PDB file of all heavy atoms in Angstrom:
ATOM      1  N   SER A  20     -17.171  18.731  12.030  1.00 98.00           N
ATOM      2  CA  SER A  20     -18.228  19.384  11.248  1.00 98.00           C
ATOM      3  C   SER A  20     -19.599  19.078  11.859  1.00 98.00           C
ATOM      4  O   SER A  20     -20.469  19.966  11.946  1.00 98.00           O
ATOM      5  CB  SER A  20     -18.145  18.888   9.796  1.00 98.00           C
ATOM      6  OG  SER A  20     -19.206  19.375   9.058  1.00 98.00           O
ATOM      7  N   ALA A  21     -19.789  17.850  12.329  1.00 98.00           N
ATOM      8  CA  ALA A  21     -21.051  17.494  12.995  1.00 98.00           C
ATOM      9  C   ALA A  21     -21.226  18.360  14.245  1.00 98.00           C
ATOM     10  O   ALA A  21     -22.323  18.871  14.522  1.00 98.00           O
ATOM     11  CB  ALA A  21     -21.045  16.011  13.370  1.00 98.00           C
ATOM     12  N   ALA A  22     -20.132  18.566  14.991  1.00 98.00           N
ATOM     13  CA  ALA A  22     -20.209  19.377  16.217  1.00 98.00           C
ATOM     14  C   ALA A  22     -20.593  20.817  15.875  1.00 98.00           C
ATOM     15  O   ALA A  22     -21.426  21.426  16.557  1.00 98.00           O
ATOM     16  CB  ALA A  22     -18.863  19.346  16.941  1.00 98.00           C
ATOM     17  N   LEU A  23     -20.004  21.331  14.815  1.00 98.00           N
ATOM     18  CA  LEU A  23     -20.314  22.709  14.416  1.00 98.00           C
ATOM     19  C   LEU A  23     -21.801  22.864  14.064  1.00 98.00           C
ATOM     20  O   LEU A  23     -22.488  23.763  14.569  1.00 98.00           O
ATOM     21  CB  LEU A  23     -19.437  23.085  13.214  1.00 98.00           C
ATOM     22  CG  LEU A  23     -19.541  24.498  12.666  1.00 98.00           C
ATOM     23  CD1 LEU A  23     -18.184  24.968  12.163  1.00 98.00           C
ATOM     24  CD2 LEU A  23     -20.536  24.595  11.520  1.00 98.00           C
ATOM     25  N   TYR A  24     -22.310  21.955  13.253  1.00 98.00           N
ATOM     26  CA  TYR A  24     -23.727  22.054  12.845  1.00 98.00           C
ATOM     27  C   TYR A  24     -24.667  21.795  14.020  1.00 98.00           C
ATOM     28  O   TYR A  24     -25.707  22.420  14.129  1.00 98.00           O
ATOM     29  CB  TYR A  24     -24.015  21.117  11.664  1.00 98.00           C
ATOM     30  CG  TYR A  24     -23.693  21.775  10.349  1.00 98.00           C
ATOM     31  CD1 TYR A  24     -22.371  21.924   9.934  1.00 98.00           C
ATOM     32  CD2 TYR A  24     -24.703  22.301   9.538  1.00 98.00           C
ATOM     33  CE1 TYR A  24     -22.068  22.562   8.743  1.00 98.00           C
ATOM     34  CE2 TYR A  24     -24.403  22.946   8.353  1.00 98.00           C
ATOM     35  CZ  TYR A  24     -23.082  23.073   7.950  1.00 98.00           C
ATOM     36  OH  TYR A  24     -22.779  23.721   6.779  1.00 98.00           O
ATOM     37  N   ALA A  25     -24.285  20.877  14.903  1.00 98.00           N
ATOM     38  CA  ALA A  25     -25.155  20.584  16.052  1.00 98.00           C
ATOM     39  C   ALA A  25     -25.175  21.771  17.019  1.00 98.00           C
ATOM     40  O   ALA A  25     -26.221  22.144  17.544  1.00 98.00           O
ATOM     41  CB  ALA A  25     -24.678  19.313  16.755  1.00 98.00           C
ATOM     42  N   LYS A  26     -24.019  22.409  17.245  1.00 98.00           N
ATOM     43  CA  LYS A  26     -23.987  23.583  18.127  1.00 98.00           C
ATOM     44  C   LYS A  26     -24.824  24.711  17.532  1.00 98.00           C
ATOM     45  O   LYS A  26     -25.546  25.409  18.237  1.00 98.00           O
ATOM     46  CB  LYS A  26     -22.538  24.077  18.317  1.00 98.00           C
ATOM     47  CG  LYS A  26     -21.743  23.389  19.376  1.00 98.00           C
ATOM     48  CD  LYS A  26     -22.371  23.292  20.731  1.00 98.00           C
ATOM     49  CE  LYS A  26     -22.436  24.563  21.548  1.00 98.00           C
ATOM     50  NZ  LYS A  26     -23.073  24.333  22.884  1.00 98.00           N
ATOM     51  N   ARG A  27     -24.707  24.873  16.230  1.00 97.00           N
ATOM     52  CA  ARG A  27     -25.469  25.960  15.582  1.00 97.00           C
ATOM     53  C   ARG A  27     -26.971  25.665  15.590  1.00 97.00           C
ATOM     54  O   ARG A  27     -27.777  26.576  15.439  1.00 97.00           O
ATOM     55  CB  ARG A  27     -24.948  26.193  14.157  1.00 97.00           C
ATOM     56  CG  ARG A  27     -23.577  26.879  14.171  1.00 97.00           C
ATOM     57  CD  ARG A  27     -22.993  26.971  12.791  1.00 97.00           C
ATOM     58  NE  ARG A  27     -23.819  27.778  11.912  1.00 97.00           N
ATOM     59  CZ  ARG A  27     -23.663  29.082  11.685  1.00 97.00           C
ATOM     60  NH1 ARG A  27     -22.670  29.727  12.273  1.00 97.00           N
ATOM     61  NH2 ARG A  27     -24.454  29.729  10.870  1.00 97.00           N
ATOM     62  N   ALA A  28     -27.333  24.386  15.796  1.00 97.00           N
ATOM     63  CA  ALA A  28     -28.755  24.036  15.924  1.00 97.00           C
ATOM     64  C   ALA A  28     -29.179  24.121  17.392  1.00 97.00           C
ATOM     65  O   ALA A  28     -30.247  23.648  17.770  1.00 97.00           O
ATOM     66  CB  ALA A  28     -29.000  22.631  15.383  1.00 97.00           C
ATOM     67  N   GLY A 290     -20.591  15.158   8.116  1.00 98.00           N
ATOM     68  CA  GLY A 290     -20.790  15.611   9.493  1.00 98.00           C
ATOM     69  C   GLY A 290     -21.961  16.580   9.570  1.00 98.00           C
ATOM     70  O   GLY A 290     -22.821  16.480  10.464  1.00 98.00           O
ATOM     71  N   ALA A 291     -22.014  17.499   8.620  1.00 98.00           N
ATOM     72  CA  ALA A 291     -23.103  18.485   8.591  1.00 98.00           C
ATOM     73  C   ALA A 291     -24.447  17.777   8.426  1.00 98.00           C
ATOM     74  O   ALA A 291     -25.411  18.034   9.163  1.00 98.00           O
ATOM     75  CB  ALA A 291     -22.861  19.461   7.446  1.00 98.00           C
ATOM     76  N   ALA A 294     -25.525  15.820  11.576  1.00 98.00           N
ATOM     77  CA  ALA A 294     -25.986  16.687  12.668  1.00 98.00           C
ATOM     78  C   ALA A 294     -27.412  17.169  12.398  1.00 98.00           C
ATOM     79  O   ALA A 294     -28.247  17.205  13.310  1.00 98.00           O
ATOM     80  CB  ALA A 294     -25.045  17.878  12.827  1.00 98.00           C
ATOM     81  N   VAL A 295     -27.687  17.504  11.151  1.00 98.00           N
ATOM     82  CA  VAL A 295     -29.043  17.947  10.803  1.00 98.00           C
ATOM     83  C   VAL A 295     -30.024  16.780  10.998  1.00 98.00           C
ATOM     84  O   VAL A 295     -31.123  16.953  11.542  1.00 98.00           O
ATOM     85  CB  VAL A 295     -29.076  18.503   9.351  1.00 98.00           C
ATOM     86  CG1 VAL A 295     -30.507  18.727   8.880  1.00 98.00           C
ATOM     87  CG2 VAL A 295     -28.269  19.798   9.273  1.00 98.00           C
TER      88      VAL A 295
END
Side-chain angles (χ1 to χ4, degrees):
S20 174
L23 183 145
Y24 274 76
K26 276 309 287 180
R27 287 174 62 94
V295 169

